[in-house]
Each structure stands twice: as C-alpha cells, then as structure tokens.
Amino acid sequence: SVFATSASTSTSRFHEAGHVPQALDRGPSELAGRAPRAARTPIARHPRGHRPGARPQGPGPPGPRARGPGCRRHGPGRPCPRRPTAVGLTEPPSHPSSVTAHGVHRAWLPDGRAVVVKVQYPEAQLLYRQDFANIKLFCRLLQPEHLTYIEELERQFYTEFDFRREAADLAEISQNFAEGSGNPYAGRVRVPKPELELSSENVVVMEYLPGETLLSYGLRMRDELERSSMLWRWWRGFWLLRELRSHLSLLLDVQGYQIFVDGVFNGDPHPGNIMRLTDGRLGLIDYGNVKRFSVADRARLGHLVVALADGDRSRIVEKAKLLGFRTRHDDPEVIYRLARLSFDRDDAESMVLPDGTAPANVQAYFEALAKLDPMTQMPPNFVMAARNSFLLRGLGTHFGVELRTATLWRQLALRAVQRFEEEAGAVARRLVEEAQLEAARGDGEGAKRRLRWAIAR
C-alpha cells in the first residue's frame, strides 16, 4: 500500500515498513518555473544513497488537503488492514484549491527504487464540476463560440479522475517508447512506467524520472547567465538557445508521432509536463489526459494538416468541414482561418484580417472572426489535437521560435492517410470478393449490400 501523510500522522506508523525514507515535497508551479518550497515534515532518515530535496513531478501547485494515511484499495483517508510496502512522506498543504486535482509525492519502494506517488484530492471532482459549470455559463451568455471547445475539455478532463485508467495508459505509452519497440524516438524520450499493482482509482504510483521541467531549466540557466560575465553570457546563451530549440523540435516530432502514428497521445502537454532529465533526454509525464484516435480519425486530421502545409485554401475548407468545423453562415474565409489557427499557425502575419486590420493577440483575432461569421461548432473529437498544436506553438514563442505545426507534421500526416487508404483498400477488396461469392450463390441482395460497403470504404 502507498501512504499519503499529513502533519498529524504519527511517525511510529511508518517504522513498520522497515524502509522509511524522507521525501520533501516542493509543489511546483511549473508554468512559472519557480514555486515556494512546501512545508517539510521530517519523519526519518532517508536511506543511504537517496538524497532528499528532489522535486516531485507533476502539473501545477499543491491543491486541497490530502487525507492520510490511506491505501490503494481503500483510497486516501481510509484505514488499511495490511502492512505498508511503500511510504510517501510529504506534507500536503492544508488549504483547498481548484488549481489541480492531485498531490504528487516522492517515495521509495522496499527494493530501493524511487517512485512518484500521485494522490487524488477528495474535493477534486466537486471543484472541477463547479469550475466548468461557471465557465460554461459564461460562454453561453457572452462567448457561445467557445462552448464546443469547453465541453470537450470538460469531457476529457473528467477522465483524469480514475487513476487506474492513467496507469494503464502509462503502461501502454511507456511500452511504445521502450527500446526495441521500433519507435524512432525510443532512446531520446522517457515516459515513466507505472506500478500497476500499487495503483488504484485514487492513487497511481510510477517510476521516478530525475530532472526538472524544460521551462524551469531554461529559466534557471537564464538566471545563472544574468549573473555571469558578458562574454560567457553571450557564448553560453547561444548554446543554451540551441539546446532548448533542439528539445522543442524533438518534442514536436514526438507529439506528432503519437497523434498520427500511435493514435495515443497526451492531450495536455503543457510546459509543466515536459521535463529535461539529468541525462539530457526529454521526460514526458502526467498522462492523466490521454486522447485516442482511430486509424480513420488520424487520416481525417491528416488530410487537413497536409492541406494546411500545402497552403491549398479550397482543400483546407473542404477538409475542415469534413472534420467538423461549422459557422453560422458557412463563410469559407472564416472556416479557412479557424482551421489554420487551430492546427497550423498564429503568428502576426497569419492574423491579419481581410480588411487589413491586425488584432493584438489570438483572443482578439478569434473575436474578430466571430464578428465576421460566428463559429457554431469546433470538431469535438479533435479539440485535444488542436490543444497540442496551441501549447507547442506557445512554448516555441517562449523560446523565440515561430512554429507552423502543419508543416512540421506533414510527413506524419501523410503516413496516417496512406495507412488508412491501405487498410480501407484491403477491406474493400475483401468485400468485393465476398460480394462475388454471394452473387455466385444467387444472393443478389447480399452482393449489392457488400458492394455498397466496399464503395463506402
């Protein structure tokens, strides 16, 4: 069992495990790169070779109070009838917050392996429902064009509350990046492996990846450069920027590969979920928000991405409509711009309106498009892919790079389209052969039905 402890927990409860480390929780606000250190509760000495003070991994700052002790079968705050086999020793804050749904702690298993323990807060679902209800009410009253996007975010984020699903997704995705998997990025990216037998609906335990977020690494190095000499600042700054842009390029390739080839990807790759590990590799964490695409879904999105990369306006509008973009008056110019904003670019040049005006930011641009022809639907099934494009472009802006995700993902999108056509062609050929057999047996209606299916394929 895995325990999440509070300040009032007696230390004697943990000495039963026979392997009691000290873990110190630093709840990171990773988007900002820095956060105050949380209060420490020293419980016992950490084992030889384990250094306390390492940051836990996870998105956002600490949230509502976690109740301890608890166990994987009975959840936080409920007594466990069995002896613990692993102990998490961090003190969660005592104030409720709706910023995050869980607390993240570092612990060690009896065999000495470091793990991350992610514990869901009891109030999390209630706070999320309240927040989304308020946001949807605001959108219905003032910005109805955002409602489709918000409703899909709500559906997707609610999948985060069953940590058994997250553990299963972690197991699958970490296997996709394992050595020998055939994944071209297997040796350059790490995804933590879960401890399935220690995970439950409210607790997930996973491999600990030593490092820090990519953004916090960049900010820390920037602070160090500001205190150095001008010559060293220029020289080291040049190579630091190259390193960060190289990591960003790898991240774009990896996310595109997951979307168009694996069909299983993190719908929330914000900067707090991207790590620079101590060995220089990228670490991808927090797979609570996983989206899955069928082969057909990947091909549909692939067609639009290829059209965007090629700059073919008529084809972009056609594929965007097939994907699910809808506006009140079906204005092709607005649909084209919405598709480009969602899956390709948002630089200043791309946001110049037909009348020559240039909105100050993406929000102002979106509102200007709504005045021309309000969007009534954004493709619900593809919202998280668009979110990937937005978040990665935002990270690029932070590193001084203007990205076009459609151009960067074009080859992967083509691969998805070709795979679908090959599979659909094989199915169509099989249906034609079955239709011929049924026609030979005198079943004309069955033959016609299978031919219609083959044509649809």
Side-chain angles (χ1 to χ4, degrees), residues 217-283:
Y217 168 74
L219 292 172
R220 179 172 61 81
M221 295 303 296
R222 183 196 65 184
D223 291 344
E224 291 181 7
L225 290 175
E226 289 177 351
R227 296 191 296 268
S228 61
S229 66
M230 183 176 297
L231 182 60
W232 177 252
R233 187 185 313 166
W234 179 85
W235 175 255
R236 184 67 184 93
F238 171 77
W239 289 104
L240 174 62
L241 189 59
R242 283 196 61 175
E243 178 191 357
L244 293 175
R245 289 179 176 177
S246 174
H247 287 314
L248 178 61
S249 177
L250 174 60
L251 178 61
L252 280 157
D253 291 342
V254 167
Q255 291 301 116
Y257 190 89
Q258 291 185 90
I259 292 171
F260 292 104
V261 179
D262 291 339
V264 184
F265 63 95
N266 188 354
D268 194 26
H270 63 72
N273 290 342
I274 313 300
M275 298 187 66
R276 182 193 181 274
L277 305 182
T278 53
D279 60 8
R281 288 185 289 178
L282 281 186

Side-chain angles (χ1 to χ4, degrees), residues 168-446:
D169 289 335
L170 269 176
E172 178 181 352
I173 294 170
S174 61
Q175 185 61 36
N176 288 344
F177 284 92
E179 296 291 342
S181 63
N183 190 315
Y185 309 106
R188 304 168 65 189
V189 170
R190 286 188 65 187
V191 176
K193 297 177 182 178
E195 298 289 333
L196 295 174
E197 70 279 4
L198 295 177
S199 300
S200 70
E201 183 179 0
N202 299 315
V203 177
V204 62
V205 183
M206 69 194 79
E207 176 186 11
Y208 174 77
L209 301 183
E212 59 186 312
T213 66
L214 183 62
L215 188 56
S216 64
Y217 168 74
L219 292 172
R220 179 172 61 81
M221 295 303 296
R222 183 196 65 184
D223 291 344
E224 291 181 7
L225 290 175
E226 289 177 351
R227 296 191 296 268
S228 61
S229 66
M230 183 176 297
L231 182 60
W232 177 252
R233 187 185 313 166
W234 179 85
W235 175 255
R236 184 67 184 93
F238 171 77
W239 289 104
L240 174 62
L241 189 59
R242 283 196 61 175
E243 178 191 357
L244 293 175
R245 289 179 176 177
S246 174
H247 287 314
L248 178 61
S249 177
L250 174 60
L251 178 61
L252 280 157
D253 291 342
V254 167
Q255 291 301 116
Y257 190 89
Q258 291 185 90
I259 292 171
F260 292 104
V261 179
D262 291 339
V264 184
F265 63 95
N266 188 354
D268 194 26
H270 63 72
N273 290 342
I274 313 300
M275 298 187 66
R276 182 193 181 274
L277 305 182
T278 53
D279 60 8
R281 288 185 289 178
L282 281 186
L284 307 181
I285 62 171
D286 192 13
Y287 275 81
N289 197 333
V290 167
K291 182 68 177 179
R292 295 175 180 271
F293 280 167
S294 67
V295 174
D297 289 335
R298 285 173 251 170
R300 291 171 63 199
L301 179 59
H303 279 297
L304 176 59
V305 168
V306 171
L308 286 165
D310 294 343
D312 188 335
R313 285 201 177 212
S314 60
R315 196 153 54 95
I316 290 170
V317 173
E318 174 193 350
K319 300 303 181 183
K321 289 181 178 179
L322 289 174
L323 204 66
F325 280 97
R326 299 287 184 273
T327 61
R328 184 175 299 170
H329 306 297
D330 202 26
D331 186 336
E333 177 68 22
V334 173
I335 292 175
Y336 160 72
R337 289 175 173 271
L338 288 172
R340 185 174 63 174
L341 178 64
S342 300
F343 295 105
D344 189 20
R345 58 192 293 202
D346 54 17
D347 55 280
E349 181 184 353
S350 69
M351 292 192 295
V352 177
L353 295 170
D355 62 2
T357 59
N361 51 51
V362 173
Q363 177 63 27
Y365 178 60
F366 197 87
E367 291 174 355
L369 293 179
K371 291 178 181 178
L372 295 175
D373 187 7
M375 182 174 68
T376 57
Q377 177 181 289
M378 184 177 184
N381 197 37
F382 298 93
V383 163
M384 305 317 290
R387 180 172 169 79
N388 264 259
S389 179
F390 269 115
L391 288 173
L392 293 172
R393 278 181 272 155
L395 191 57
T397 301
H398 198 85
F399 292 155
V401 182
E402 288 185 353
L403 298 174
R404 291 194 58 184
T405 50
T407 302
L408 295 168
W409 287 345
R410 186 182 187 280
Q411 293 303 316
L412 293 168
L414 269 177
R415 182 172 170 178
V417 171
Q418 291 168 358
R419 178 180 174 183
F420 173 75
E421 290 176 349
E422 289 172 1
E423 293 188 6
V427 172
R429 285 192 295 272
R430 180 175 56 82
L431 290 171
V432 170
E433 291 172 359
E434 292 177 356
Q436 291 173 342
L437 290 174
E438 291 187 354
R441 291 197 299 265
D443 186 0
E445 289 300 320

Side-chain angles (χ1 to χ4, degrees), residues 40-168:
R40 300 180 178 182
T41 305
I43 304 297
R45 291 186 178 183
H46 61 283
R48 185 180 301 275
H50 291 294
R51 180 177 60 83
R55 301 179 189 174
Q57 302 152 319
R65 56 192 175 277
R67 301 168 185 169
C71 81
R72 66 182 177 92
R73 297 198 175 194
H74 301 84
R78 297 181 176 89
C80 175
R82 302 172 59 186
R83 287 168 62 92
T85 59
V87 182
L89 299 174
T90 58
E91 179 185 357
S94 59
H95 62 280
S97 168
S98 60
V99 175
T100 184
H102 53 263
V104 183
H105 311 267
R106 187 179 178 185
W108 286 269
L109 299 180
D111 59 11
R113 286 182 295 140
V115 293
V116 171
V117 183
K118 182 175 172 181
V119 184
Q120 185 177 149
Y121 296 129
E123 300 93 338
Q125 291 198 46
L126 175 62
L127 292 173
Y128 263 60
R129 292 185 186 281
Q130 291 173 345
D131 286 349
F132 272 111
N134 291 331
I135 293 170
K136 288 192 295 183
L137 177 61
F138 174 85
C139 287
R140 287 192 184 97
L141 294 175
L142 299 175
Q143 292 185 321
E145 63 272 11
H146 292 296
L147 196 57
T148 303
Y149 177 79
I150 295 299
E151 288 175 343
E152 175 60 17
L153 281 184
E154 180 182 26
R155 282 192 294 270
Q156 191 65 32
F157 282 178
Y158 280 157
T159 65
E160 295 190 23
F161 293 113
D162 188 348
F163 285 178
R164 294 169 298 189
R165 174 173 176 167
E166 178 174 353

